[in-house]
Amino acid sequence: MPDAAASDAVPSKTQNRFIAALRDAAFVGLITAGLSFPLIALRAEADMNNHLELQQRWSWLVSATIAMAASRFIASIFDRLVARIVGVTGVWLILFAGGTAYYATDTHPGVIAGCVLAGLIAIGLAAALNRSSVDAGRTETRPAEPSRFYRLDTSGGSLAGNLISIAALGCAIAFPLVVLAWLGPQGSLKWINNYGVQILIYVMLGWGLNIVVGLAGLLDLGYVAFYAVGCYAYALLATKFGLSFWLCLPLAGVLAAFWGILLGFPVLRLRGDYLAIVTLAFGEIINIVLTNWVDLTNGDAGIPSIPRITFFGLPFTAADDGFAARFGIEFSPIHRNIFLFYLILALALLTNFVTLRLRRLPIGRAWEALREDEIACRSLGINTTSTKLTAFALGAMFGGFAGAFFAVRQGFVNPNSFTFSESASILAMVVLGGMGSQIGVALAAAVMIGGTELLRELDFLKVLFGAAFDPSQYRMLIFGFGMVAMMIWKPRGLVSTRSPSIFLKQRKAIAGALVKEGHG
Amino acid sequence: MRWLSDPLLTVDHLSMHFGGIRAVSDLSFTAGRRDITALIGPNGAGKTTVFNCITGFYKPTSGRLAFAREGLAELDDVAAITRSARRHARMASGDIYLLERMPDFQIARQARVARTFQNIRLFSGMTVLENLIVAQHNILMRASGFTILGLLGLPPYRTREAEAVKTATYWLERIGLLPRADDPAGDLPYGDQRRLEIARAMCTDPVLLCLDEPAAGLNPRESAELTKLLCAIRDDHGTSVLLIEHDMSVVMNISDHIVVLDHGVKISDGASDFVRDDPNVIAAYLGVPGDDTTAEQRA
Amino acid sequence: MENFLQQLINGITLGSIYGLIAIGYTMVFGIIGMVNFAHGDVFMVSAFIALIIFLALTQLLGVSSIYVAIFIVLLASMLLTSLWNWTIERVAYRPLRGSFRLAPLISAIGMSIFLMNFVQAVQGPRNKPLPPMFNEVIHVTSGGAFDVTLAYKQIIIVAVTAVLLAGFWYLVQKTPLGRAQRAVEQDRRMAALLGIDVDRTVSITFVMGAALAAVAGTLYLVNYGVVSFSDGFTPGVKAFTAAVLGGIGSIPGAVLGGLMIGLIETLWAAYVSNDYKNVAAFSVLIIVLIFMPSGLLGKPEVEKV
């Protein structure tokens, strides 16, 4: 009587499950308490005499423990990811309401009540979502892991890809004008500069590093060094010798490529993580030299008043020979920012164009082959050293271009812009985007940089937590946590498939599981 | 007896030691032009080590690997190159290379020795067609003006690339994989991967093709196809083949010349009939009553 | 001469701390082939835990003997840091095991950023100074240009390091746990087939690495008497450098590399330039790797064709 047995088993199963979830929750709560005991519950704060005093914050520990335990409980009783996410959100809303009521006593009771209600609704919704999926799950068998097999991309794939690329390009071109028309010169500055230009710099850096890491499979943890070389090349050539930006831009690229070759020559025979640590060390060395060679770089104080960008010779000033006067329009500082936006867009598109072209040339195919199997490459007569060096030099060159742009945009540079965390962020964009995928890297750059910039807008939380609350210190915390979460969610990046560089009849996307990630 | 009258590759006193282990000691043999030469022997006999020395992946401890690419090399010529510090010389009869002095990729590029691997090394994340195009890297690289002309999209490169695709298509047809040209190489079944690796090596237009256990893991039908393919490579393309193989039906069917190794030493050398009946070979493969002590000493 | 001797003592002290952190890198790399970028920040977290426990003992519980206090701090910091690293492995790395190589690396970098900013958020951005402890010194030489001194804290640091390393060495070489670790290192799948609990072994490796990092964190606090949220990165990178220099995957190599980096840094700072001491450490790394690509004591990597 299997049916009867099954129906008998159901209630006890749910009950078991409930108990198991409670046990899970208790375990997680215990761990959280252990983790928070020294770091959260007690805070060492220096007093006026620089003498450390301990502040006790046991309520924080209790809140953290309850929050984690409750979240874990919800996650254990629901099967489906959506249900879990919605449920956990609900729990956090309720806890948030409770916390606000406790800490920020001046909060409007309506806000708290609203949060509690929303939280309850979310948990109810999660339960409903979970139930419907459990019912559906009974009949359908769990599909085998789809990414294991290559996905047949019936011609629409590349077409859709092209459409997305064209749409993205159109949006990028229209972006400053739309923002300007919408928000006016004052309001649009932040959007064009902090979001537009900033994101595009990282898109370009990501695309440059993608050549090295994504195509050639060489792990470079010191990419920021080449960015720094380009940046200081322009800053020094412009301030010491008065060279113009348009002359310095190619020079900065050439210098960075030269440094790429200089570094690459001795180290490219190293494999895997050895290459990673040497590139990291190189990045650190460049940073230390920039900091300490005060005669040349002015150290931490940086190089101020670097000549600003000109419109091919016309300065963006209110003067008579300025851009605005010459074109007979009213002067506004936004002109320069719009020009900078289009300049970096052009530079990024150049990087993209060159990379896409190279992928279809022997050198690009050799890079990818190198990533797949270096020994096989050598057996086919490919000079792996020079192939690696070109990848390194080209990646460095684009980093150098971006650096020169950064200097002309900031008007001021110091070594703090070229720390390891920059290299790490750029690498994260490449990996998160999906190694070798241009659109993926651009998307990842937009999400990561745009997202962290958006986190600057958290000031509204002050209304809830009181004026002493400083949201900016949670920005990088969320950024770091987001990196972990995104890797766990999509370890192979947003675009995990590889598009072949040549085909006979049909371009089929290749599943990420087949594509190797290189040994260097 | 072409391996005596017109040797393509002359291996002289080749030794390869790893620390205290003597994988190959004082091995000499020749491989004839347009011959299929088989290198056989029990497991651990040092066959793959010989391959790795010939293709430059290992630097031999001592010995000479003279490769007469186009025609019969005079012994005096070879001796003259050996005395000089050079690794290559152009003689009246054609180019002569000393492989032990060349880095691996130069052996493939200049001496034109191609190889496959025991544990297949395809570019699994690239398509079948891409694998064959990568194999024509050096020709295409020149045609693309070392990338600069190619970057500008000039027509000479386009035509050369089309020719490369034609070569690839030709080989795909030969190995029966044309319908799968746009599939990732890593998705192919094992037997197809083996044949694709051979086709990829052939796309480099080699003079000598070194195959490391090409029939391993193939079923009898696939083995028979492989035999046909290898004969065609020799007869239609004039490419000499050096073969490591355990499948005796393949070896005995197609080999013009067989060299037998055991524990890094040559124990027999000759045509298939001669090797088949050589008591040394039978002893090495089957063991000889009362020979246990010597086997232990060797081990 | 006196100066050289003094710098030698200082270098060995610093090198001990680097060596302890380096073991964490090298063990994790050995067992799952991953560069645990967050390890430097785990070290920083451990220093904070040590600081807070120390303050709690002296201020809240009124422990007056500094030796007793430091002993308890050491144990508590080892325990709690292990818990942190266990959790980190469980949350950020285990889901990515067997996934492609760069995913755990990025996850670790994310974890490193998270830890640094977490500590900044909950403990504040300012330096945390402690009054100096173990101030007594032994005069090794006297009457020369100046006296070469050996501070008590230096003796404590080197002695604690030596004792713990001996215990740790025994654990890895002579116990079934160490054997399981080495088996997982060689072949994870085969080890699992032979009944070794791979997940548990990896967890224990992280716990051991964290415990040693916690010792380093406590000793760092004792030595410098100050810690801030950003103190994890530079010692972390240098300890990683030490691990690679010694041959990554080799535990004696990590200790040797740590001592070398400590000495190079101290001597360079004393005789050449304090500003460029890190450049010296990194340059030595690059030079050693160019001539000995697998580090000083690493197994030479034979290319399998």
Side-chain angles (χ1 to χ4, degrees), chain C residues 74-227:
Chain C
L74 196 64
L75 289 184
S77 175
M78 283 169 82
L79 187 74
L80 290 167
T81 312
S82 300
L83 185 65
W84 267 96
N85 216 22
W86 180 86
T87 314
I88 291 169
E89 193 270 333
R90 193 74 188 72
V91 171
Y93 308 149
R94 192 179 293 180
L96 294 171
R97 189 141 350 119
S99 173
F100 96 142
R101 188 171 60 101
L102 288 180
L105 181 78
I106 299 297
S107 188
I109 292 174
M111 208 20 127
S112 156
I113 296 173
F114 172 81
L115 284 177
M116 197 153 89
N117 288 281
F118 173 77
V119 172
Q120 185 190 11
V122 295
Q123 292 291 332
R126 287 203 283 159
N127 277 350
K128 310 287 174 195
L130 271 184
M133 46 185 131
F134 307 118
N135 294 315
E136 302 89 335
V137 294
I138 298 170
H139 291 264
V140 180
T141 65
S142 51
F146 66 92
D147 290 1
V148 176
T149 59
L150 184 56
Y152 272 28
K153 59 186 174 194
Q154 289 176 319
I155 300 174
I156 291 176
I157 288 168
V158 175
V160 169
T161 307
V163 169
L164 277 163
L165 283 183
F168 174 74
W169 182 246
Y170 176 80
L171 204 63
V172 172
Q173 289 294 320
K174 305 282 177 196
T175 62
L177 172 69
R179 196 154 50 238
Q181 271 179 335
R182 277 174 284 139
V184 173
E185 196 176 319
Q186 295 268 322
D187 189 333
R188 201 186 305 159
R189 195 169 299 167
M190 194 62 214
L193 286 174
L194 292 174
I196 294 172
D197 187 342
V198 172
D199 280 344
R200 189 168 149 268
T201 312
V202 173
S203 280
I204 291 173
T205 306
F206 272 84
V207 163
M208 283 160 75
L212 291 176
V215 177
T218 311
L219 297 178
Y220 181 89
L221 193 69
V222 168
N223 198 28
Y224 293 102
V226 63
V227 61

Side-chain angles (χ1 to χ4, degrees), chain B residues 160-173:
Chain B
R160 194 63 199 76
E161 192 182 40
E163 277 171 42
V165 173
K166 211 176 283 170
T167 309
T169 322
Y170 167 79
W171 279 106
L172 286 177
E173 233 165 354

Side-chain angles (χ1 to χ4, degrees), chain A residues 150 357-358 361-362 365-366 372-373 375 378-379 381-383 498 501 503-506 508 510 514 516, chain B residues 57 104-105 108-109 117 121 123-126 130 133 137-138 140 147 151 157 161 181-184 187:
Chain A
Y150 74 96
R357 255 280 153 77
L358 288 175
L361 285 173
R365 296 206 186 100
E372 296 284 321
D373 194 323
I375 287 175
R378 273 151 48 189
S379 83
I382 296 174
N383 183 345
R498 174 182 173 270
S501 64
F503 59 98
L504 269 190
K505 295 192 183 65
Q506 190 181 45
K508 300 173 187 173
I510 296 168
L514 289 171
K516 304 240 170 61
Chain B
F57 284 90
D104 43 24
F105 75 93
R109 178 192 278 185
F117 298 88
R121 286 185 176 273
F123 306 123
S124 62
M126 302 174 89
E130 281 181 307
I133 301 287
H137 176 81
N138 288 317
L140 288 172
T147 307
L151 202 55
Y157 173 68
E161 192 182 40
D182 296 328
D183 288 338
D187 259 358

Side-chain angles (χ1 to χ4, degrees), chain A residues 207-407:
Chain A
W207 278 343
L209 185 61
N210 198 20
I211 296 176
V212 184
V213 180
L215 293 183
L218 303 165
L219 183 52
D220 183 354
L221 287 178
Y223 188 62
V224 82
F226 306 121
Y227 185 41
V229 167
C231 187
Y232 272 86
Y234 172 63
L236 291 171
L237 289 173
T239 52
K240 305 230 160 166
F241 302 102
L243 299 186
S244 83
F245 174 73
W246 300 104
L247 183 65
C248 289
L249 183 67
L251 273 178
V254 169
L255 271 171
F258 169 75
W259 276 97
I261 292 173
L262 209 66
L263 170 71
F265 236 152
V267 306
L268 280 178
R269 64 197 195 98
L270 299 175
R271 293 165 69 85
D273 300 272
Y274 292 103
L275 179 66
I277 181 71
V278 169
T279 49
L280 188 154
F282 178 69
E284 290 299 299
I285 289 175
I286 291 267
N287 192 296
I288 296 166
V289 170
L290 290 179
T291 310
N292 290 308
W293 193 356
V294 179
D295 294 343
L296 183 72
T297 66
N298 205 19
D300 267 330
I303 301 175
S305 53
I306 299 166
R308 293 294 195 149
I309 190 81
T310 58
F311 186 78
F312 307 104
L314 295 180
F316 287 95
T317 57
D320 285 344
D321 59 345
F323 170 80
R326 196 63 68 89
F327 283 85
I329 48 178
E330 197 186 331
F331 170 75
S332 161
I334 198 76
H335 294 156
R336 178 170 61 218
N337 286 290
I338 292 177
F339 182 66
L340 282 173
F341 179 91
Y342 284 116
L343 177 61
I344 185 68
L345 183 63
L347 284 171
L349 289 177
L350 175 78
T351 314
N352 185 39
F353 170 79
V354 170
T355 312
L356 288 181
R357 255 280 153 77
L358 288 175
R359 265 201 78 206
R360 280 146 222 259
L361 285 173
I363 185 72
R365 296 206 186 100
W367 289 338
E368 292 202 79
L370 199 64
R371 180 190 65 201
E372 296 284 321
D373 194 323
E374 185 177 340
I375 287 175
C377 277
R378 273 151 48 189
S379 83
L380 297 174
I382 296 174
N383 183 345
T384 49
T385 311
S386 68
T387 308
K388 285 177 179 177
L389 269 181
T390 41
F392 229 63
L394 267 168
M397 186 180 81
F398 290 121
F401 287 154
F405 175 83
F406 180 74

